[in-house]
Amino acid sequence: MDVPETRELAYFVAVAEELHFGRAAQRLGMAQPPLSRAIARLERRMGVQLLERTSRSVNLTGAGQVFLTESRKALDAVTASVRRAQRAGRTDPKLTLAMKPNGDAGLLESILQHYRRDPDAVDIEVIVCGIGEQAPMLRDGRADVAFLTAPYDDLAGFDTELLLTQDQMAVLPRAHRLAGRAALTLADLTGEQLPRWPGDDGGATDGRRPEVRDISQVMQLVALGQLVAVLPESVRQRAWPDVACVPLLDAPPTAVVVAWPERTTSRAVAALIRASAEAAEVAGAGAVRRGEIRYQDTLT
């Protein structure tokens, strides 16, 4: 079959996300009948059913779920190519770095000091975004580089340099029955109210779990006794006075990585990756296993 146009991908993504042709048509600014016909033509050309339709509902088939994931990637890639070309054509080149609050684990100041000494450095703009927003910004071209946290952020499609690993801890109200313990296990937190992070579908069926957007919100809810949280140890420096931070012996460690799109050839990006690795090495960031993806091999 001929390759679908980006317009057709956008039509399908809107229907797949809304699971309702009327809402999707309204979102796209078009009438419903031509949208329905466009999706039907797309399915015929592909030779596969993407949506299951009844008089009361619209649902994705297995093929539709795969096509939704790939369509989002394709649309992001198109948008990113335009944004990156526009930035590359500027007379005043600039690099955009995306990070969530505290997402650098305290390394950013040192990284910028190393970066400014590199002959390939350009002006850098740091965007502090919400939890879980860095990877989408990197995929659609709003950012050139991002600090991500594994295993929570999706690293697919990125090259990465591991900067440091961190143990995790339980963040509890100061008056909590477990707050005075020297260490805890995950089993000790069974039955406790935990937050629901953006994109955490596992908690969608439990309306009692409050959805949180940033660490300050978590700290406030913990201080009020409404929940406990499991967070990387670097958050300790931002802990409120009325919360307690207790090490978790069996929680898997988290990793802070600096990430950039695959096959990037920007010398300014390469300089920032070098600076990030140097700053992490100078900081002596624990038992860090660096070089899993070597930026020297992917950037020029």
Side-chain angles (χ1 to χ4, degrees), residues 76 83 132-143 148 158:
D76 282 346
R83 286 174 170 154
E133 294 180 358
Q134 319 94 284
M137 292 181 67
L138 195 54
R139 286 197 173 88
D140 67 17
R142 286 175 289 166
L148 302 179
F158 302 141

Side-chain angles (χ1 to χ4, degrees), residues 110-181:
S110 178
I111 288 172
L112 294 180
Q113 290 175 354
H114 283 81
Y115 181 64
R116 294 186 187 105
R117 294 196 291 265
D118 195 296
D120 291 322
V122 299
D123 289 342
I124 187 165
E125 176 186 17
V126 178
I127 297 179
V128 180
C129 57
I131 292 173
E133 294 180 358
Q134 319 94 284
M137 292 181 67
L138 195 54
R139 286 197 173 88
D140 67 17
R142 286 175 289 166
D144 302 294
V145 185
F147 291 125
L148 302 179
T149 302
Y152 302 114
D153 290 315
D154 181 7
L155 306 185
F158 302 141
D159 283 337
T160 61
E161 177 74 10
L162 177 61
L163 300 182
L164 59 83
T165 58
Q166 301 182 77
D167 292 329
Q168 297 198 81
M169 60 187 182
V171 182
L172 312 159
R174 181 68 66 180
H176 194 280
R177 60 185 176 82
L178 300 174
R181 298 269 292 272

Side-chain angles (χ1 to χ4, degrees), residues 264-287:
T264 295
T265 58
S266 165
R267 298 182 67 86
V269 169
L272 185 60
I273 305 308
R274 287 194 296 269
S276 299
E278 290 165 1
E281 186 171 359
V282 169

Side-chain angles (χ1 to χ4, degrees), residues 12-14 16-17 60 63-73:
F12 172 73
V13 168
E17 290 180 346
L60 287 168
Q65 291 173 344
V66 171
F67 194 57
L68 174 60
T69 298
E70 299 303 321
S71 295
R72 284 169 170 162
K73 290 179 183 177

Side-chain angles (χ1 to χ4, degrees), residues 42-51 61 63-64:
L42 179 62
E43 289 178 313
R44 286 196 300 270
R45 286 163 49 210
M46 292 180 62
V48 65
Q49 184 179 359
L50 302 173
L51 300 167
T61 64

